[in-house]
Amino acid sequence: MPIGDRRRHTDDSDEHGGADRKRRRGPEVNEIEHRLENLIVRVGEKSTSSLESNLEGLAQVLETDLETYKSKILAILKTCVLDAPEKLTIYSTLVGLLNAKNHNFGGEFVEMLMKQLRDELIAQNYDNALHVIVFMCDLVNCRVVSAHSCMSFLEGLIEVAFQEDIPQVRSDWFVYAVLYALPWVGAELTEKKGNDLKEMLDAITRFLEQRQKLHVQMLRVWSGDKPHVQEEYLDCLAAQVTKLRTENWQEKHIARHYVAFDAVLCDALQHNLPSFVPAGHQETSVYPLPTVIFRLFDYTDCPENGPVLPGAHSIERFLVEEELNWIVRRHYIDRKECAAALLNYSRKLRVPLNYVILEVVFGQLFRLPSPPCPPLFYGSLLIELCKLQPNSMPQVLAQAAELLYQRVETMQPACVDRLVDWFSYHLSNFQYRWSWADWEDCLKCDELAPKQVFAREVLVKCMRSPYHQRVQEILPADYAPLIPEKPQVHFKYSGEEGEKLLGASVAHQVAQAIRNKCTNEEALELLKNCPNPDEMSGFNPLAIDVFVSVLLHLGSKSFSHSFAALTRYHQALKTLTEGNEDAQMVVLRALYDLWKNHQQMMTVLVDKLLKMQIVECNCVVSWIFSDEMKPQFLRQWTWEVMQSALVKLSRHVQRLRAELEAADNEDTKEDTKEDTKEDSEMKADDDDEQTVESKSADAVKEKTQKLRSAEEFQRNLLLSVFHKFTILLTEHLLTSEAEGRDFNSYWYKWVTGRFKQIFLSQSDEVWKLCSELETSLFTNDIDSHILEIFHQFRALRR
Amino acid sequence: MSYKDQKAAAAAAASAYRDQRFRGSLTDQEEALLQSTTLYIGNLSFYTTEEQVHELFGRAGDVKRIIMGIDRFRKTPCGFCFVEYYSRDDAVDAVRYINGTRLDDRIIRTDWDAGFIEGRQYGRGKHGGQ
């Protein structure tokens, strides 16, 4: 673009921004409110004067405006409590100072916070509720809230944990919230209400002892306990708090700014928290899932001359991780800001920062059932971290990668997938430089050994980004057996061998016709000449095989060419395969014959066939479990295909559900254009049927019917997936027993891992099926090893 | 608007790049850009293939189609392409996390595009970019 043009366009966008600014600029009141917001939100950021003097100054400014702008100030502080938990003690000190100046304001603030807590719990925003509870507790230190009312408040929360007939996850959350708040307020409560606190902690211990922990195995990144135990989150926090208690609640982490204002605060009048009863449990309530604490490093991994990594059971480790987790969650939409915020972490001199950051980032990436942010975000964040600290971060990251490789042996397959995806992506951003020679031990092990599987899948993924030859060049010669085959098309109806195949002559005719841009009908007509090796089947598998092979071979130049070919002959394909699972299987087999060396092509084309409804999800599932796919059964791409088929189906069901809801709720407005573009091909048929009069009862009825049948389809599919897994695993267990072999082989590890992965990735749908699965499939007749996986899954929500 | 929403809006907002030949007013174009699911990708290597683009952009979500930019006369790739997603959210993720990272060792850039129209696959400048 010529320079002149670029300038003109920057001007354009400036004008646009100018208009925006003008619109936002309201009357003068807004101006002041805006200034207040700015002052409050930014306190604690880098500044030339000390935080204490900034806080004092701000409290003074706010005091003068307190009466006029009270509601605005309350609202701003509320947002700060919810959105900036890492600045909690700054804001609690500020509230303390305001309370000392104006007792009524303190009262209103506490009241507002209580109301907020109630609302967040009803809305099931548990993270927000947690921030509010901790804030409320820290207000005891700032002399805003009385210690005894805080004690009864916490007792009220623990009360909930001991309610009867509620799921364990509900009890868990309330216990977690109380334990979470204790590092802040424990010392103060011990001093003022020591006995009550002791009784409460004893009750918590009793609760933890009788807790069932079947779910832990489902959520662990590694099945082994070496070198680090991945503890259940409540157990871990309880141990950390107990240790803190034995150390007289003396922690070295929380920045207690209020200490500097002791003289001002000690005279302030305190408020009593009103009694608080959380909303009761409903059938529809959904609670946070339990988690398992991710541990990658201990102090021996970190350099000797730096700060020491706090131990696994020290409260400092917990507090640092929580703050870094907040930073990631708060900035996840801007990777650059996120990386900068992590590296500027306020406590960076007290911990080996790069190590704790990486542990937190990988902890999120590997979290089961799913990471809190898109996996791609973590990859780009790690690149950004390396860019910002090119002299230190890449080494630590390489150390982490090495540890992850060494520990891949007991890693859950779902996490191995994420590791492969991340590592290959990371390499693609750093010229594929890696000291592969360090990992040569993987070449000597079994081909199903996790180390070798990991290395092979990484190379497959790497090959998708640059060229086949490039991958060969970056690798030491020893790695030759692991290098994926060249991704070429294999057209069986060509060459000397191909000419002899049944159907070869028709294949040539069809190819010629397609080159001449024949119509769908003409193609179908030609295919009638195809001999049928299986007259009894009611359809001609050879004709389908010939057509699909020829079509995709002609389109083999690129994805776009293949898509264009499929779209052009969509109608013919549909005619050949509609409603016939066997016919659809022939399509998938033909595709596989053609592209078995090009996994990416396989993944993309199966996806396309699903979207075009040439094959259906259940057919893809049967194909993956079929005998001819056995050699590929444990490869990552197969599970990519399976997952994407299941995800597509569940999105389809969700969309129908949303449509029905909209039609039910909205009798006044017709809102058929709400659909996202997604899956638009999949529902191409639906669109025609959508009448303008969607408010009519008929439309609702029709939608209900459509939803029911989609749900039924999905239910059957999931049941059949679990059934197929059960058969496969049972056979394995039986033969192992008969032959006196250890059943716990690599194969078994991978298959059970994939089994778990389906449970976890489809959890929302599977939970609805739980009782049915229990009565029809996972009965006591089934081998206990298989049954246990189901029970582990069910325990997640109990 | 909460802090998070503001940030989201900023990330999703269009950058200074505009298609010069867009038919319609500037406002129409802005509107189209804010709903678009299509991205313009620039600074690709001439040797980068559709498969490579798909592999990278598929990490952000379900890709609907990719149109490789080609030289008007020589009909060879010339350093840009369009990537269309099924959903806006996936496209937003691609802008957030792929813009400014590497593909085939080159730092690529992504920009919102109002949607592909036949003919736009042909490069305009001397070096092929749009």
Side-chain angles (χ1 to χ4, degrees):
Chain A
M1 190 195 285
I3 291 168
D5 274 357
R6 182 168 299 170
R7 188 167 305 143
R8 203 178 71 220
H9 276 86
T10 350
D11 286 348
D12 277 355
S13 62
D14 273 353
E15 259 169 51
H16 195 70
D20 260 2
R21 241 174 281 136
K22 221 171 284 165
R23 219 173 300 135
R24 245 181 274 135
R25 199 183 298 150
E28 207 171 316
V29 184
N30 267 341
E31 194 76 5
I32 294 180
E33 289 188 351
H34 199 70
R35 203 169 59 89
L36 284 177
E37 185 165 349
N38 218 1
L39 283 173
I40 298 177
V41 168
R42 307 195 53 178
V43 67
E45 286 180 9
K46 255 187 210 150
S47 147
T48 45
S49 43
S50 74
L51 177 65
E52 282 73 21
S53 72
N54 282 342
L55 274 174
E56 199 162 5
L58 179 57
Q60 236 145 35
V61 170
L62 292 182
E63 189 192 5
T64 46
D65 287 328
L66 217 47
E67 284 316 313
T68 342
Y69 297 104
K70 191 166 62 191
S71 60
K72 181 66 187 172
I73 294 175
L74 281 171
I76 299 170
L77 284 171
K78 180 174 81 187
T79 343
C80 291
V81 171
L82 298 177
D83 283 359
E86 73 275 13
K87 283 159 73 175
L88 186 160
T89 54
I90 296 177
Y91 290 115
S92 63
T93 307
L94 178 63
V95 172
L97 292 173
L98 291 175
N99 181 54
K101 290 175 197 291
N102 186 329
H103 183 67
N104 282 342
F105 179 80
E108 282 187 50
F109 180 81
V110 170
E111 212 169 281
M112 174 200 73
L113 224 47
M114 272 307 204
K115 184 180 171 305
Q116 192 63 27
L117 176 58
R118 199 177 309 270
D119 293 349
E120 298 290 357
L121 283 175
I122 289 171
Q124 313 202 20
N125 293 328
Y126 292 100
D127 275 356
N128 282 352
L130 194 59
H131 298 330
V132 175
I133 291 174
V134 180
F135 199 92
M136 205 104 78
C137 288
D138 197 41
L139 286 180
V140 174
N141 301 320
C142 303
R143 312 260 161 226
V144 179
V145 167
S146 67
H148 72 89
S149 73
C150 178
M151 190 66 228
S152 358
F153 169 67
L154 292 179
E155 281 167 348
L157 297 182
I158 286 297
E159 199 86 13
V160 178
F162 285 91
Q163 281 168 354
E164 293 195 351
D165 297 326
I166 55 167
Q168 182 172 295
V169 276
R170 176 175 164 92
S171 306
D172 284 356
W173 189 81
F174 285 95
V175 171
Y176 184 68
V178 170
L179 286 173
Y180 199 114
L182 285 179
W184 276 268
V185 76
E188 198 70 11
L189 291 182
T190 311
E191 192 184 309
K192 307 254 168 67
K193 305 292 286 178
N195 270 338
D196 292 344
L197 181 64
K198 184 180 171 301
E199 272 172 33
M200 188 173 80
L201 287 169
D202 290 346
I204 291 178
T205 313
R206 283 198 304 279
F207 169 78
L208 292 176
E209 276 164 4
Q210 51 80 37
R211 235 172 126 244
Q212 66 95 351
K213 276 174 277 186
L214 211 53
H215 56 272
V216 176
Q217 275 310 325
M218 199 78 174
L219 299 177
R220 278 190 176 179
V221 175
W222 292 284
S223 59
D225 277 344
K226 273 176 192 159
H228 304 301
V229 185
Q230 304 150 78
E231 282 176 288
E232 214 274 342
Y233 78 123
L234 261 186
D235 286 350
C236 184
L237 181 56
Q240 287 161 334
V241 169
T242 309
K243 182 158 178 288
L244 179 62
R245 187 180 168 204
T246 59
E247 290 161 2
N248 290 322
W249 304 99
Q250 296 298 310
E251 47 68 46
K252 300 180 220 59
H253 183 80
I254 298 170
R256 299 184 188 266
H257 305 292
Y258 54 82
V259 175
F261 300 101
D262 206 29
V264 189
L265 295 177
C266 69
D267 293 335
L269 280 174
Q270 294 173 15
H271 302 269
N272 285 329
L273 295 178
S275 70
F276 177 74
V277 182
H281 172 66
Q282 310 272 317
E283 267 305 302
T284 51
S285 306
V286 178
Y287 302 95
L289 289 182
T291 50
V292 166
I293 304 298
F294 179 81
R295 291 269 178 257
L296 185 60
F297 299 118
D298 65 23
Y299 69 96
T300 56
D301 297 311
C302 308
E304 280 170 19
N305 48 8
V308 179
L309 182 69
H313 279 172
S314 75
I315 202 75
E316 282 79 15
R317 184 80 166 258
F318 171 77
L319 294 168
V320 171
E321 280 171 359
E322 273 302 295
E323 284 179 341
L324 293 176
N325 272 311
W326 288 332
I327 293 175
V328 172
R329 260 178 268 165
R330 179 180 157 125
H331 294 288
Y332 81 96
I333 47 184
D334 187 331
R335 62 180 205 262
K336 293 194 177 168
E337 235 173 56
C338 187
L342 286 171
L343 293 171
N344 282 328
Y345 175 53
S346 61
R347 301 279 161 169
K348 60 179 166 190
L349 296 177
R350 315 184 82 142
V351 283
L353 185 64
N354 290 350
Y355 290 85
V356 285
I357 289 177
L358 288 185
E359 193 167 77
V360 163
V361 172
F362 282 115
Q364 290 200 13
L365 175 62
F366 292 131
R367 184 163 315 159
L368 292 167
S370 52
C373 308
L376 180 59
F377 158 69
Y378 300 105
S380 70
L381 174 64
L382 290 167
I383 292 168
E384 218 54 49
L385 287 166
C386 289
K387 271 195 210 158
L388 285 179
Q389 305 242 292
N391 294 325
S392 60
M393 194 55 97
Q395 288 89 317
V396 185
L397 190 57
Q399 194 182 338
E402 175 66 27
L403 292 178
L404 290 168
Y405 168 76
Q406 294 300 341
R407 296 172 195 170
V408 82
E409 193 73 17
T410 60
M411 204 181 214
Q412 284 221 28
C415 297
V416 176
D417 285 355
R418 292 182 207 166
L419 181 60
V420 167
D421 286 349
W422 163 70
F423 191 64
S424 58
Y425 174 71
H426 191 78
L427 288 182
S428 78
N429 269 273
F430 292 93
Q431 286 99 52
Y432 299 92
R433 280 191 303 242
W434 187 251
S435 44
W436 289 95
D438 293 353
W439 289 357
E440 272 174 358
D441 59 333
C442 75
L443 299 170
K444 291 180 202 82
C445 41
D446 188 281
E447 65 168 5
L448 283 184
K451 278 183 177 174
Q452 188 169 114
V453 170
F454 167 72
R456 180 184 295 120
E457 298 290 358
V458 166
L459 294 179
V460 168
K461 275 277 155 84
C462 281
M463 200 186 58
R464 290 186 184 184
S465 314
Y467 319 95
H468 190 253
Q469 199 188 341
R470 175 94 191 266
V471 177
Q472 274 173 314
E473 283 163 9
I474 56 167
L475 285 172
D478 302 354
Y479 275 83
L482 284 199
I483 294 177
E485 284 195 62
K486 206 165 183 204
Q488 278 164 328
V489 68
H490 170 249
F491 183 56
K492 66 177 165 230
Y493 297 108
S494 70
E496 229 167 85
E497 284 297 303
E499 297 299 340
K500 291 182 205 142
L501 285 178
L502 197 59
S505 63
V506 182
H508 290 309
Q509 288 167 23
V510 174
Q512 201 50 49
I514 290 176
R515 278 200 200 93
N516 295 335
K517 301 194 169 24
C518 72
T519 64
N520 278 279
E521 291 74 23
E522 285 162 357
L524 285 173
E525 200 53 44
L526 269 178
L527 287 171
K528 287 202 177 128
N529 304 335
C530 197
N532 191 349
D534 185 6
E535 294 285 357
M536 303 300 290
S537 63
F539 73 105
N540 187 344
L542 186 61
I544 298 175
D545 183 70
V546 163
F547 189 49
V548 172
S549 305
V550 167
L551 195 56
L552 290 176
H553 179 234
L554 289 175
S556 64
K557 195 171 168 204
S558 72
F559 293 157
S560 288
H561 288 85
S562 301
F563 290 178
L566 289 174
T567 311
R568 192 178 173 95
Y569 294 99
H570 187 194
Q571 197 202 323
L573 287 162
K574 197 102 185 145
T575 317
L576 290 169
T577 62
E578 186 140 42
N580 186 337
E581 192 175 324
D582 293 331
Q584 294 173 13
M585 286 287 259
V586 178
V587 174
L588 291 172
R589 275 188 217 122
L591 175 63
Y592 181 61
D593 276 346
L594 215 55
W595 284 118
K596 64 167 71 110
N597 287 338
H598 197 332
Q599 306 182 342
Q600 191 191 4
M601 190 63 109
M602 285 301 301
T603 324
V604 170
L605 286 183
V606 175
D607 207 63
K608 194 70 182 175
L609 291 172
L610 274 168
K611 280 182 188 136
M612 297 177 79
Q613 292 184 311
I614 295 172
V615 300
E616 282 168 278
C617 300
N618 54 347
C619 182
V620 171
V621 168
S622 314
W623 173 64
I624 287 174
F625 278 95
S626 69
D627 282 343
E628 66 257 33
M629 283 297 284
K630 275 217 168 108
Q632 299 287 326
F633 188 64
L634 294 179
R635 303 305 297 270
Q636 191 176 331
W637 76 270
T638 320
W639 296 93
E640 252 172 63
V641 170
M642 171 87 99
Q643 295 285 8
S644 103
L646 293 177
V647 166
K648 237 169 237 100
L649 182 59
S650 76
R651 282 208 196 122
H652 178 71
V653 172
Q654 278 159 15
R655 213 195 51 241
L656 291 177
R657 237 173 242 155
E659 270 175 25
L660 181 63
E661 230 164 79
D664 268 347
N665 295 343
E666 296 233 352
D667 273 33
T668 41
K669 254 190 271 167
E670 50 131 7
D671 230 349
T672 45
K673 287 190 177 160
E674 277 276 289
D675 318 329
T676 52
K677 279 188 181 174
E678 200 170 346
D679 292 334
S680 56
E681 287 171 57
M682 199 164 183
K683 62 170 173 66
D685 298 333
D686 306 10
D687 274 347
D688 305 342
E689 296 165 35
Q690 265 173 5
T691 48
V692 189
E693 295 285 302
S694 76
K695 53 191 158 187
S696 72
D698 274 357
V700 172
K701 210 173 181 183
E702 194 188 320
K703 281 191 161 104
T704 316
Q705 219 157 35
K706 217 180 264 178
L707 175 63
R708 292 288 162 264
S709 73
E711 279 177 336
E712 181 68 13
F713 184 80
Q714 185 185 32
R715 196 185 67 101
N716 287 334
L717 183 63
L718 284 172
L719 284 177
S720 110
V721 170
F722 290 131
H723 188 65
K724 288 185 156 85
F725 266 113
T726 309
I727 293 175
L728 207 58
L729 289 168
T730 309
E731 271 175 9
H732 172 79
L733 289 166
L734 286 176
T735 39
S736 304
E737 199 184 297
E739 293 170 12
R741 270 185 293 125
D742 180 16
F743 70 87
N744 204 359
S745 61
Y746 284 132
W747 184 91
Y748 181 76
K749 171 197 142 73
W750 287 108
V751 176
T752 46
R754 295 300 182 191
F755 190 33
K756 284 185 187 181
Q757 192 178 8
I758 301 286
F759 272 113
L760 289 176
S761 65
Q762 293 288 307
S763 51
D764 287 340
E765 306 298 335
V766 182
W767 263 307
K768 292 184 195 124
L769 297 179
C770 256
S771 56
E772 189 178 351
L773 283 170
E774 191 173 10
T775 48
S776 69
L777 186 56
F778 297 112
T779 58
N780 286 331
D781 304 339
I782 295 231
D783 191 289
S784 60
H785 294 96
I786 304 169
L787 206 53
E788 197 189 335
I789 293 171
F790 173 67
H791 287 154
Q792 285 171 8
F793 171 74
R794 218 179 34 174
L796 283 178
R797 273 206 180 172
R798 283 242 161 140
Chain B
M1 217 198 242
S2 83
Y3 174 78
K4 276 182 194 158
D5 293 339
Q6 280 176 30
K7 300 289 297 179
S15 73
Y17 159 85
R18 298 287 180 279
D19 176 25
Q20 315 272 302
R21 301 196 186 171
F22 186 81
R23 283 162 222 266
S25 72
L26 200 61
T27 336
D28 289 346
Q29 191 177 4
E30 296 299 330
E31 210 138 280
L33 288 176
L34 285 174
Q35 288 168 17
S36 167
T37 56
T38 303
L39 304 176
Y40 165 87
I41 318 298
N43 200 32
L44 297 179
S45 145
F46 288 4
Y47 301 100
T48 298
T49 63
E50 186 186 346
E51 274 86 343
Q52 290 168 281
V53 175
H54 199 288
E55 166 63 12
L56 179 60
F57 284 86
R59 286 174 181 265
D62 224 355
V63 173
K64 189 171 183 183
R65 63 172 175 170
I66 292 169
I67 296 131
M68 300 300 289
I70 48 178
D71 185 293
R72 186 178 291 281
F73 306 106
R74 272 173 289 177
K75 307 284 186 239
T76 52
C78 63
F80 72 94
C81 73
F82 299 97
V83 174
E84 188 183 345
Y85 286 94
Y86 285 93
S87 90
R88 169 86 183 174
D89 286 352
D90 291 348
V92 168
D93 274 356
V95 173
R96 282 177 187 161
Y97 307 134
I98 296 181
N99 185 23
T101 62
R102 280 172 197 273
L103 175 58
D104 242 357
D105 295 340
R106 293 170 67 91
I107 305 256
I108 55 167
R109 55 168 250 210
T110 65
D111 270 302
W112 289 102
D113 192 88
F116 176 75
I117 298 165
E118 188 53 38
R120 289 189 58 208
Q121 68 268 48
Y122 300 114
R124 288 166 192 165
K126 252 210 172 104
H127 299 288
Q130 282 213 332

